[in-house]
Every structure is written in structure tokens, then in C-alpha cells.
Amino acid sequence: MRSLSCVLVREGPSDDWFLPIFLRRALEAMVLESFPACREIQEIRSMVKAGNQHPEPVLKALDGERGAFDVVLYHHDGAPPTKSDPVIARMRRTWDNSAFTEPLVTVVPMRETEAWILADHEALARALSVRRLRNGLVSGAAVEGCPDPKAVLEGLLKGEAGMNPAKPGVVRDFYISMAEFADVGVLRKVPAFQQWWNDMIKALEGLGYQHG
Amino acid sequence: MITRIEIDGFKSFENFALDVPPFLVLIGTNASGKSNLLDALSFLSKAAVQGLDSAVAAVRGDARGLFRRRGEGTRVDRMRFAVEFLLESAPLGLPTRWRYELDLAWAEPEDALEGIVVEGHQLVALSSAQDRWPAVRGMAPEWFADGLVSYQGGRVVSLPIGPLEVPSGGMGLLHMARVALNDRKYLRDLTDDDIHVLEDDTVVRVAWTELAQMRFLHLEAGALRLSSELGGPQFMDTTGRDLPNYLRSLTKATGSKERPLGVVGEIKMHLAGLAREVTDFAIVEDGHRRDVRLEFSSPYEQEIGAEFASDGTLRMLAILAALHDRGCVAIEEPENGVFPERFRHLLALTGGLVTDMRQPPERDALRVPLPYRQAIFTSHSPIVLDEVPSANIAFLDMTTVLENGAASRVSRVRRLREDQGPVRVEGERWARVTESELSRFRAGVEASA
């Protein structure tokens, strides 16, 4: 019986509210669809102390986890590309040259993780417990063009649900709810998420998960 | 909003006084007086709202046992309570800062059985000079400018003790006072001051509402798992019984066309953040069984009945529900059965849910001030020290007073010393708690160990 264990190197603490939960759910859907021989998806463990700007602390944190994971998910927001691309490329280079044999799969939302949270309106209405969302709100693949998805989400909390996003725990619990409610199929219409999906399939194929 | 409590003669309290912020956590070892303090608040509110018999039944101990026991074995014969509040729903023109004083005694009247009797009670309007709270706690100027905090020093509403034919268990003390104030014979004697009587009646009604909104939770898993009856109580009791109906009543009170669940939508969202094993719940009204029950769900499992939900999930839900209601909620040891990280998050959430007087008043879309919310927790958890500002923590322990040639143990309460702040503060009976004591609390070491 094959089991899949992933660790996440994320950019900031707020990414922990969404990514580990949603990516685990996405992996469940992926494995059901493409890797039927795999029987178990473990919780995605966030490497809180790894940092993500410099490869050294990342490698150091993962060194302590050797043998306890199959894939490293390396998250870095994509905007602006002039800043993010070199950081991601440096991490990739360092990883490929390291003694680690596990694949490193990048998780790169076009702007920031919040854009992915914005994609599924049905889930948003459910998490906010409102009958419907206002018209004209960006959704689906278009979320990657949204200049400030964080501000849009805060506006939804305030305007639609009457909650104050500045209060402790409000944004956190909203993101966690969205991680549980957002439809993986809807997110797959967002190009940057689909890119992660494709990369993850390649990584799992490279590890032979299709053979069980 | 309760802003101060004074207790003398009740259980372990002797000349005890504590300024109460919107969020207060009482910490200390076992038997230091934390639960006694909640008992005192519960006793006072129940006496005012439901009557003395209900008040005695609501707290631990029998009627005589509530009077403080001296070191030489006798009990005091008098209990004195005072609470100061900021009234939320006082009509325009009436002051909002009041103090309710209640004096009780143990007596054996000739024509009645022995028991607790009322010696007197009154409502006293605070003057700005008497009001310690803005200086102690801090208050944004908008509260004064908008008339939400107002004074009328020197005004006293002397409350009649009530018609003697009403048994003490039948009606709350404030309700009895209103009956007496409105008694026709009483009104017939009035002349130019009629308006004051009507105003006094309003003040008593608003004070009654303030005390009636106080809720006390000592949650029990068995009670939390029970369904409610359709048409049954709409408020959750102390143990958490009738949580399903309580959530229904919150939905009904706060829901709208666009947000049908009202604050229950918010509660759902926070529950998903606190209790990761469930992501949603439904309040199921079953007309056939004539009951109301909770069903939890997660992406992996639907229709999980309350009997199968974890204790921690049910406790979190009950606490969240109470925190989203108006008024003051006092909760005994909310950390019980809760994973430390979740308790940490609950503390942070609570700090954001209560009314913050240091900020301008929050208003809804129609510019109406949001209902005041207040929370008082008791706790043994060192996490409190990391998560809650020291100004919101009160440390209880016991001290010895010498009276009648004997040593008596009584509760004392102290604030925590602010970083580099003074140890002694004017108006506080005892020195503040220093870091060495807090280190012992963090480590779970008794002060005398």
C-alpha cells in the first residue's frame, strides 16, 4: 500500500491557513483520479521554521525531516515575477544540487494565495453564510488578473458578511473555511493552480505512484 | 457591561473589589476564589432577576453557607454586593453609568422562616469624578461625545424591598422593586416628581435587563449532546443544555434576508477554524420528533450527530455561541478538553469579539451601536499569560486576615505588573503580581511549594 507524505515550505504564516488544507484535498482528488494504487494521503506538514527566501534554512529544516516525506511543496507568490522568479530558480538549483532525492514541486500563485481563495464563489457564499455574492466580483481563471485579491477578500468579509477583518481570527478562520469548501475542480480552471497540478502529477509519476 | 464588582461577606470575600474590563481572565490555583467570584456575580444577577431562592439554587452551597466563615468558626451575618455598569439601552437623556448596591442579612423573622433577607438595595448614578473606569481601562472620547457614557452624580434610586405578600422565590428583587414603584397607592401620593418616578422605573428596567443578560457557563459534555425540544427553552443553561435552541434563537435575533444565519454564520466560520475535524453544522428542526438537534459535517463525513461529535468541538461551539450573544458571559475553565493551540486561538478571538472601549464605538450599517459584549473566563492555563494582555488578567489567591483573635483565609485579587510598571498602584489594596510569581504559575508550581 503506497502512502503520500508532503511537506510545505510556505511564504508566510497566513499561507498556513489555506495551503496545507486545500493542497491535501487537491491531492486526494488527484490521487483518486490518476493514482488509484496510492491508498493514503497524509496531512501536509508546514515547515514553519524553514523560511523560504534563502535555500540554506530550507535545506536545514528539511534535513531534520529526512525519510519522513515524499515530496517538498515549495510555495512562493508569483508577483512580481522579476523578484520571485530568481528566488524560485535559486531554490530549484540548490535543491537539484543537494543530496535530497525527493522531488521539489513549486506552488506559485500568479500573485498571491488569496487569488486562489477568490476563485470559487459558491464556496465563498457558503463560508460567509450569505445568500449570494454581489455581482461583478472576479472569479474562476480571471482571479489571476485581480490586482489585490487580499483587499477584495477583506471587502467581502466586511461588506457581505458584516465582519471586521481587522479583528483577531476573522481572516484566519475565513481562509480555513475556504480551504475546506473551495472546489478543486473550480481551482483547476486557474492556470497557476493547474500548473501545480501538472507538476505534481509529473513528480508522482517520477516516484512511480502510478504503479502502486 | 459590568465595570466593577465589590463583595463583602459572601463565601471567601472580605472587602473585595475588582475593576472589570470587557475581557477578563481570572487565573490562580484551585480554591483561590475564581469560581467564588463567578458565584457571586451569578448570585447577584439571579437575586435581582429571579429572586433569592433562585439565586441560592444557582450557586454552590446552601443559604447559610454562602455567608463568609470566620477563622474561629462563626459566620458573618451580612453580605454586601455592588456592581457598576455601563447601561447599553438607557433611553436618551438618562445617565448610563450606574451602580447597583445590595445589602443582605441572615435573619430569623418572627413571622417567617430563617433565611436571607434584603436589608436594602439601590441604584446610584455615578459622577464622572467617581468613575474610575476611563482612567483605569482607557476609553475613546467618542463614547462620551456620542452620549453612550453619561453621568448624573448624586442621583439615587432607592428601591423598595417589594410587596411582602410575594414570596422571595417568586420574583426578582428588581422586579419586585418595580412592582412597588408602580403601585397605585404609591403613585397617588406623587406630585411634581412624577416624571422622576417614571424615569426611575426606566432605570430599574434597564438595570434588570443588564443583569438578566449575564450568562454563566460550566459546560458538561453530556448536556451539550442533548437535543432541544421545539418550543423548549431558547437559552442555553449553565451546563450547555439547549444549545440547539440557543443557536436557533441567535439566528432568529440576528438573521436578515441576505444573511439568513446572522451571527451563526460567523460562529460556523470560527468553529471551522477552531475545531478542524468539522467544517460545518446544521440546526435540524424535526417536526415529527418535535425536537431540534445539531448535525456536524466535514468533507469526509455528513450528518454527524452531537452524540458523535468530540467534547472539544461541542464546548467550542457553545463558547462561540455565548461570545456572539449580547451581554456578559462568564465561563469556567474554557480550556478544559481543548487542545492548547485551539485555546490560544479562542483567547485571541475573544479579545476581538468583546466590546473594546478604547476604540470608538462600533456601529452597524444604520449607525446603531453594536450590542455590548463582555467575557469573563476562569483558567489554570499558562497560555493565558502569553495570549492575553496583562491588563485583562486578574490573579486570585488567598490571604490571611486576623479578626476576633483568629486567622481567617480570604480571597484577594491582584493585577499583573506591567512591563517596567509600578508594583504599587493607588486605589489597589495589594501590590501587583510580579514576574517571579508568574513564573511559578507558568511552571505550575504552587506559591507555597
Side-chain angles (χ1 to χ4, degrees):
Chain A
M1 185 184 85
R2 198 84 188 261
S3 173
L4 175 60
S5 169
C6 297
V7 289
L8 172 71
V9 177
R10 51 44 167 185
E11 195 163 303
S14 65
D15 297 306
D16 276 340
W17 305 335
F18 182 80
L19 287 176
I21 300 168
F22 184 73
L23 293 179
R24 187 205 66 227
R25 290 183 52 235
L27 284 173
E28 290 162 6
M30 181 187 292
V31 164
L32 279 171
E33 190 179 294
S34 308
F35 302 96
C38 178
R39 291 291 309 282
E40 183 182 10
I41 314 296
Q42 297 179 36
E43 289 289 325
I44 295 177
R45 289 173 296 122
S46 178
M47 298 286 100
V48 175
K49 290 183 178 169
N52 85 336
Q53 296 296 323
H54 298 284
E56 290 76 19
V58 174
L59 262 60
K60 192 177 171 196
L62 291 173
D63 201 38
E65 301 288 319
R66 268 182 194 276
F69 63 90
D70 303 302
V71 178
V72 178
L73 303 173
Y74 178 76
H75 163 246
H76 201 289
D77 287 341
T82 46
K83 277 191 179 175
S84 64
D85 287 352
V87 174
I88 295 166
R90 182 178 59 184
M91 184 67 230
R92 162 74 60 204
R93 245 186 348 263
T94 310
W95 185 258
D96 290 344
N97 293 329
S98 74
F100 286 96
T101 54
E102 294 85 355
L104 178 141
V105 177
T106 55
V107 183
V108 189
M110 186 60 83
R111 279 182 198 281
E112 50 195 4
T113 306
E114 281 78 1
W116 289 359
I117 301 176
L118 200 49
D120 183 355
H121 282 198
E122 206 173 302
L124 280 170
R126 187 177 170 199
L128 296 168
S129 291
V130 296
R131 213 176 276 282
R132 68 176 75 82
L133 297 178
R134 66 171 187 263
N135 292 327
L137 193 66
V138 66
S139 70
V143 294
E144 292 197 330
C146 178
D148 192 353
K150 205 177 279 184
V152 175
L153 289 171
E154 288 186 0
L156 284 174
L157 276 166
K158 209 167 187 171
E160 309 282 318
M163 292 185 233
N164 183 349
K167 292 280 180 81
V170 171
V171 172
R172 170 193 183 273
D173 292 348
F174 175 48
Y175 285 15
I176 290 172
S177 294
M178 283 305 297
E180 297 284 8
F181 293 156
D183 189 293
V184 175
V186 172
L187 259 292
R188 287 185 63 188
K189 292 174 187 158
V190 178
F193 182 77
Q194 183 60 41
Q195 182 64 51
W196 169 79
W197 181 278
N198 296 341
D199 292 347
M200 193 70 204
I201 284 178
K202 271 187 215 157
L204 294 183
E205 284 173 350
L207 291 168
Y209 272 84
Q210 69 275 31
H211 306 302
Chain B
M1 174 81 67
I2 305 289
T3 59
R4 181 176 173 83
I5 179 161
E6 298 172 12
I7 316 163
D8 186 37
F10 179 86
K11 291 197 168 183
S12 58
F13 298 109
E14 186 250 6
N15 287 322
F16 178 96
L18 175 64
D19 291 309
V20 183
F23 179 31
L24 174 67
V25 186
L26 306 166
I27 61 171
T29 61
N30 298 109
S32 58
K34 303 186 301 296
S35 299
N36 283 353
L37 182 50
L38 296 198
D39 272 352
L41 276 168
S42 176
F43 181 84
L44 177 64
S45 68
K46 288 283 189 302
V49 174
Q50 296 176 9
L52 283 170
D53 288 351
S54 299
V56 172
V59 299
R60 301 162 301 153
D62 62 295
R64 187 63 177 125
L66 299 181
F67 290 80
R68 184 173 68 81
R69 188 186 174 94
R70 298 187 189 94
E72 31 84 344
T74 62
R75 291 190 183 275
V76 300
D77 289 323
R78 284 189 164 68
M79 296 193 284
R80 183 182 64 79
F81 300 88
V83 277
E84 292 177 6
F85 19 55
L86 173 65
L87 295 179
E88 180 184 342
S89 48
L92 205 63
L94 276 182
T96 57
R97 292 291 280 131
W98 287 86
R99 173 184 171 90
Y100 176 56
E101 298 172 345
L102 172 64
D103 294 337
L104 302 172
W106 181 257
E108 296 183 24
E110 281 183 12
D111 55 348
L113 293 180
E114 74 286 345
I116 303 174
V117 297
V118 182
E119 289 201 313
H121 60 151
Q122 61 180 3
L123 280 156
V124 182
L126 295 179
S127 68
S128 60
Q130 287 171 309
D131 191 1
R132 289 166 42 85
W133 214 52
V136 172
R137 312 300 324 175
M139 192 175 267
E142 288 84 352
W143 287 86
F144 301 97
D146 294 356
L148 297 172
V149 178
S150 56
Y151 304 100
Q152 192 178 4
R155 180 167 182 173
V156 177
V157 180
S158 295
L159 300 169
I161 290 173
L164 293 176
E165 63 269 22
V166 177
S168 64
M171 203 184 276
L173 299 177
L174 286 179
H175 197 170
M176 283 204 283
R178 284 190 75 196
V179 170
L181 277 172
N182 287 298
D183 187 284
R184 285 184 182 172
K185 289 175 192 169
Y186 188 67
L187 283 173
R188 204 162 43 218
D189 296 335
L190 297 173
T191 53
D192 298 341
D193 290 334
D194 284 21
I195 183 68
H196 286 300
V197 173
L198 294 173
E199 279 188 358
D200 286 352
D201 179 58
T202 304
V203 170
V204 180
R205 176 176 57 76
V206 177
W208 183 93
T209 305
E210 191 71 40
L211 290 167
Q213 283 177 348
M214 293 196 70
R215 296 172 307 286
F216 299 87
L217 297 184
H218 199 148
L219 298 169
E220 295 172 9
L224 288 164
R225 294 185 195 288
L226 296 174
S227 57
S228 295
E229 290 175 3
L230 282 169
Q234 57 181 316
F235 294 103
M236 177 170 65
D237 76 4
T238 306
T239 61
R241 184 170 187 152
D242 283 311
L243 175 60
N245 263 355
Y246 184 50
L247 289 163
R248 273 173 83 213
S249 70
L250 285 174
T251 303
K252 195 146 193 172
T254 60
S256 63
K257 192 180 167 201
E258 289 306 313
R259 294 177 57 213
L261 294 176
V263 294
V264 174
E266 225 171 299
I267 292 168
K268 283 183 173 205
M269 192 185 85
H270 287 311
L271 186 68
L274 275 168
R276 302 286 182 87
E277 56 277 10
V278 298
T279 51
D280 204 351
F281 66 86
I283 308 164
V284 181
E285 297 173 29
D286 189 331
H288 185 66
R289 286 165 48 168
R290 294 197 300 278
D291 73 6
V292 185
R293 57 186 183 273
L294 297 174
E295 283 184 357
F296 296 89
S297 58
S298 77
Y300 308 96
E301 208 176 346
Q302 305 296 307
E303 297 178 6
I304 308 164
E307 63 273 29
F308 297 109
S310 79
D311 289 2
T313 297
L314 290 166
R315 285 179 67 83
M316 284 291 120
L317 177 56
I319 291 169
L320 285 172
L323 290 172
H324 280 80
D325 200 356
R326 66 195 315 152
C328 176
V329 60
I331 305 175
E332 287 263 21
E333 295 170 12
E335 72 268 26
N336 283 352
V338 177
F339 189 67
E341 183 56 30
R342 295 181 183 186
F343 181 53
R344 193 184 297 277
H345 181 47
L346 176 71
L347 291 169
L349 267 184
T350 306
L353 285 170
V354 299
T355 303
D356 187 353
M357 301 286 181
R358 293 163 306 174
Q359 301 297 322
E362 289 187 90
R363 295 174 183 276
D364 64 15
L366 300 171
R367 303 286 304 145
V368 176
L370 295 184
Y372 299 167
R373 289 172 177 162
Q374 184 170 30
I376 303 173
F377 291 174
T378 67
S379 180
H380 294 121
S381 172
I383 291 172
V384 170
L385 296 176
D386 300 329
E387 205 57 47
V388 180
S390 56
N392 295 64
I393 300 173
F395 188 94
L396 279 97
D397 62 2
M398 301 298 279
T399 188
T400 301
V401 294
L402 301 172
E403 52 184 345
N404 301 339
S408 302
R409 296 288 279 169
V410 300
S411 293
R412 69 169 173 170
V413 65
R414 290 175 293 157
R415 293 282 183 204
L416 309 194
R417 185 186 185 189
E418 303 281 350
D419 189 28
Q420 303 299 315
V423 175
R424 303 252 16 156
V425 175
E426 195 183 336
E428 293 181 10
R429 182 172 163 187
W430 295 285
R432 292 201 163 187
V433 183
T434 55
E435 190 51 43
S436 67
E437 276 183 278
L438 292 181
S439 299
R440 297 175 81 89
F441 180 77
R442 275 197 186 90
V445 180
E446 300 260 3
S448 56

